[in-house]
Amino acid sequence: MIRVLSLVVSAGLIAPTLLAQRMPTDTFYQQLFRPFFHYTPQSNWINDPNGLVYFDSEYHLFYQHNPQGTKWGHMSWGHAISRDLVHWQELPIAIPEAGPVMIFSGSCVIDKANSSGLGVDGRPPMVAIFTGHRADNQSQYLAYSNDKGRTWTRYGTQPILDLGKKDFRDPKIFWYEPAQHWVMVSVLSPERKALFYTSTNLKNWTRSGEFSIDIPAPKRPGIPPTARSGIWECPDLIELPVEGSMERKWVLLLSVGSGAVAGGSGMEYYVGQFDGRTFTRDVATAAARPVDWGKDYYAAVTFNNMPIRGNRGAISIGWMNNWQYATETPTRSFRGAMSLPRELRLSKSATGYELRQRPVQELKSLLGPAFQWAGFDQGALNQSLTDNGFSGDTYQLTLDLEATKAEAGVRLCRNTDQETVVGYDPVRQLLYVDRTRSGDVAFARDFPGRFAAPVKPQNGRVSLQIWVDRSSVEVFANDGQVTLTNQIFPSPDSRGIQFFGDGLRSASIRPIEPIWK
Ligand code: FRU
């Protein structure tokens, strides 16, 4: 993998130096907790994905980045590109902080018709709109690139949208085809309000609507209610196909700063309609639903300008962390990782429209040959699979459980005193991930715990797809109906696997090699 270091900033123009350096990959991916197949920066801090956009055969992942350290600060847009959503190449900082103005979250579009007039030689510009953060003001700024995101020019020194507010941030922009205009959704965070704007040139924006809500969270047995306390951040508004029909519905994704379903920060969504100007939620599915039931899934947004895929779902990437302890996690030279890219669609059930999330198909290219187990008997259960020839910390595991009376599941990343448990409780119909003894849990009071999601068996079965990547466990249940994303920090020798419960019917494990080689 090639990593490119350093950058030069001059008079608003941001140009990379040509200093490129081949990563010492052998030591790099062996670092403690370094994910093998999730994006991490070579060094320093990252948080939200920003400006996800596809252009000219490249997927761009920009992100909140501190180029100077492993804690939050000096926020700038880091940058990585990929041709397959699987292998990433880190590029120089795209947009660095500018004096007292930090570069907060935002998004990118490809201005195909050159509505902004910022294109050159008939080539569409890549346009980024992001929040410029000062101690007393947050407003929206524009920058553009005429060379596929390699260098960026700030459009003037002034914001393009300033309400004189302290907390107005995270613009997501997209093209709304039916009305032939651009749309922006951003949030007044502490007011828990999403604001909608429209524009024909990306520079001048007119307010077209707003969305806010305050209804009590639904009560579900065994599940903490989604609290209504958290500030809103990183909105996204997307139109998704409803599986098995020609229908499409709009979904408003929001990140909430606290009080999420697993505690601390997390994501919620509403399903409804968008008329090109404002979003209205469906009355039938009025309540917010959690996007992910784990502790570490935040600020996910979707790609703009995606090539049409068969089902026209959207692709999202989230930040696998929680603001409760994000700055304390025990990694060394880097801190923060992105989730796997997920394909989003809706499914319709008796309780309304539900988000479905599946890892993108492209990830299949990573999977090694399967180790398979079927017809579990008591003898095979509760035996460490290291005895059965499998030991590892980077793999995809699929499990098929029968919802009998007793709990069933798997203990992952095990040594003699550590394990991360993924289990299903058929009586309470809860799927859980328990990381209480997962390794280093002592760095933050809010880190250890057991996080659960309601999962109904389908035809008496629950199927799990679990992606283990050294310091994270992403669980997709019943073909993406429910996801649970959690970080773990086990010792290097915690590589064992142990199945438990009578309900287990089949399991298969496919090892995964590092994407960094
Ligand atoms: C969300 C967030 C955004 C903000 C960014 C700053 O994690 O707080 O609201 O733009 O991080 O890094």
Side-chain angles (χ1 to χ4, degrees):
M1 169 188 190
I2 305 284
R3 300 266 179 173
V4 188
L5 305 172
S6 183
L7 64 139
V8 184
V9 182
S10 61
L13 179 74
I14 306 152
T17 63
L18 294 174
L19 176 61
Q21 181 182 284
R22 185 162 280 279
M23 281 300 299
T25 41
D26 49 344
T27 57
F28 162 73
Y29 69 80
Q30 294 302 347
Q31 282 172 345
L32 188 63
F33 307 133
R34 171 75 75 179
F36 272 18
F37 57 94
H38 287 78
Y39 182 77
T40 49
Q42 179 184 0
S43 51
N44 294 325
W45 164 274
I46 61 168
N47 54 293
D48 317 350
N50 295 150
L52 302 181
V53 69
Y54 178 81
F55 185 45
D56 219 358
S57 307
E58 291 173 339
Y59 297 94
H60 292 263
L61 164 62
F62 300 92
Y63 47 84
Q64 289 289 283
H65 185 42
N66 178 358
Q68 300 182 29
T70 52
K71 297 252 181 199
W72 187 89
H74 300 288
M75 298 320 293
S76 303
W77 274 28
H79 189 195
I81 52 168
S82 170
R83 290 187 166 264
D84 60 2
L85 285 172
V86 176
H87 301 87
W88 295 94
Q89 180 187 346
E90 188 171 341
L91 294 179
I93 298 291
I95 310 178
E97 74 171 332
V101 183
M102 288 204 266
I103 312 301
F104 271 23
S105 287
S107 54
C108 278
V109 291
I110 306 305
D111 182 12
K112 288 185 185 150
N114 197 22
S115 66
S116 62
L118 298 169
V120 287
D121 303 332
R123 280 181 289 116
M126 190 181 280
V127 174
I129 297 185
F130 54 85
T131 301
H133 166 92
R134 291 170 189 270
D136 59 350
N137 178 280
Q138 290 181 343
S139 40
Q140 318 321 322
Y141 290 74
L142 190 152
Y144 60 97
S145 169
N146 298 117
D147 59 0
K148 303 205 289 180
R150 280 15 179 222
T151 61
W152 289 84
T153 307
R154 296 281 293 265
Y155 176 68
T157 53
Q158 297 305 309
I160 52 159
L161 185 55
D162 182 359
L163 303 182
K165 293 260 189 183
K166 191 169 169 292
D167 288 286
F168 171 43
R169 61 177 178 269
D170 306 342
K172 170 70 193 239
I173 49 174
F174 63 92
W175 177 248
Y176 183 72
E177 184 69 29
Q180 297 286 300
H181 63 213
W182 299 101
V183 174
M184 178 196 295
V185 50
S186 55
V187 285
L188 295 172
S189 298
E191 288 151 66
R192 298 164 52 80
K193 203 175 261 187
L195 302 184
F196 302 98
Y197 291 83
T198 63
S199 170
T200 51
N201 62 9
L202 290 166
K203 297 168 179 165
N204 305 103
W205 292 88
T206 311
R207 175 98 156 248
S208 58
E210 65 177 58
F211 175 81
S212 62
I213 193 161
D214 234 322
I215 55 162
K219 288 201 174 56
R220 279 176 252 216
I223 302 285
T226 313
R228 318 297 323 144
S229 56
I231 58 164
W232 284 6
E233 301 187 305
C234 300
D236 197 355
L237 182 61
I238 43 173
E239 193 184 21
L240 294 180
V242 180
E243 289 184 331
S245 78
M246 298 298 285
E247 200 183 0
R248 295 173 72 77
K249 296 286 292 181
W250 286 84
V251 173
L252 180 65
L253 297 172
L254 290 164
S255 291
V256 293
S258 63
V261 70
S265 57
M267 290 189 69
E268 296 178 343
Y269 70 99
Y270 295 91
V271 179
Q273 295 105 44
F274 180 64
D275 61 2
R277 301 175 58 76
T278 200
F279 172 82
T280 17
R281 73 197 149 97
D282 282 356
V283 179
T285 45
R289 293 169 188 248
V291 171
D292 190 288
W293 296 77
K295 252 199 111 137
D296 296 307
Y297 196 72
Y298 201 64
V301 284
T302 61
F303 277 88
N304 271 319
N305 199 44
M306 282 298 277
I308 304 275
R309 297 162 80 96
N311 49 38
R312 303 183 65 204
I315 308 294
S316 70
I317 296 182
W319 173 50
M320 284 200 291
N321 224 327
N322 191 311
W323 277 117
Q324 275 182 337
Y325 46 71
T327 59
E328 309 302 328
T329 54
T331 56
R332 295 281 294 277
S333 64
F334 72 100
R335 186 175 277 128
M338 296 303 174
S339 73
L340 293 178
R342 299 177 179 184
E343 183 156 329
L344 310 184
R345 290 187 246 165
L346 290 171
S347 63
K348 200 173 178 178
S349 72
T351 52
Y353 296 92
E354 282 179 7
L355 196 58
R356 284 213 161 198
Q357 304 178 78
R358 300 178 176 96
V360 294
Q361 293 290 327
E362 285 85 341
L363 291 160
K364 285 195 177 147
S365 68
L366 287 176
L367 302 177
F371 288 64
Q372 245 150 351
W373 293 270
F376 284 94
D377 56 27
Q378 280 305 321
L381 293 170
N382 299 321
Q383 255 184 31
S384 172
L385 283 185
T386 40
D387 303 331
N388 296 10
F390 188 86
S391 147
D393 59 3
T394 56
Y395 50 85
Q396 186 222 52
L397 166 64
T398 54
L399 279 187
D400 190 20
L401 310 172
E402 198 167 320
T404 54
K405 289 215 171 51
E407 288 190 16
V410 60
R411 304 183 184 107
L412 305 165
C413 302
R414 271 169 65 80
N415 68 7
T416 44
D417 47 28
Q418 298 180 356
E419 63 186 21
T420 298
V421 189
V422 181
Y424 184 66
D425 172 347
V427 176
R428 296 161 77 209
Q429 300 198 325
L430 290 178
L431 173 69
Y432 64 87
V433 174
D434 191 336
R435 66 176 181 193
T436 313
R437 299 200 302 130
S438 56
D440 186 347
V441 297
F443 61 88
R445 187 175 49 95
D446 293 312
F447 186 79
R450 172 172 158 144
F451 314 108
V455 172
K456 287 214 182 311
Q458 291 178 341
N459 304 321
R461 298 269 176 126
V462 173
S463 68
L464 304 180
Q465 192 184 78
I466 305 170
W467 297 73
V468 176
D469 190 4
R470 309 192 86 207
S471 50
S472 64
V473 177
E474 270 169 290
V475 182
F476 298 81
N478 285 347
D479 199 17
Q481 226 172 37
V482 160
T483 64
L484 277 152
T485 303
N486 290 287
Q487 298 183 87
I488 52 169
F489 299 100
S491 305
D493 69 341
S494 294
R495 299 167 64 87
I497 290 181
Q498 190 182 73
F499 297 114
F500 66 93
D502 302 341
L504 215 58
R505 285 298 159 262
S506 64
S508 99
I509 295 186
R510 293 164 186 274
I512 296 179
E513 294 294 308
I515 58 172
W516 310 114
K517 274 185 176 168

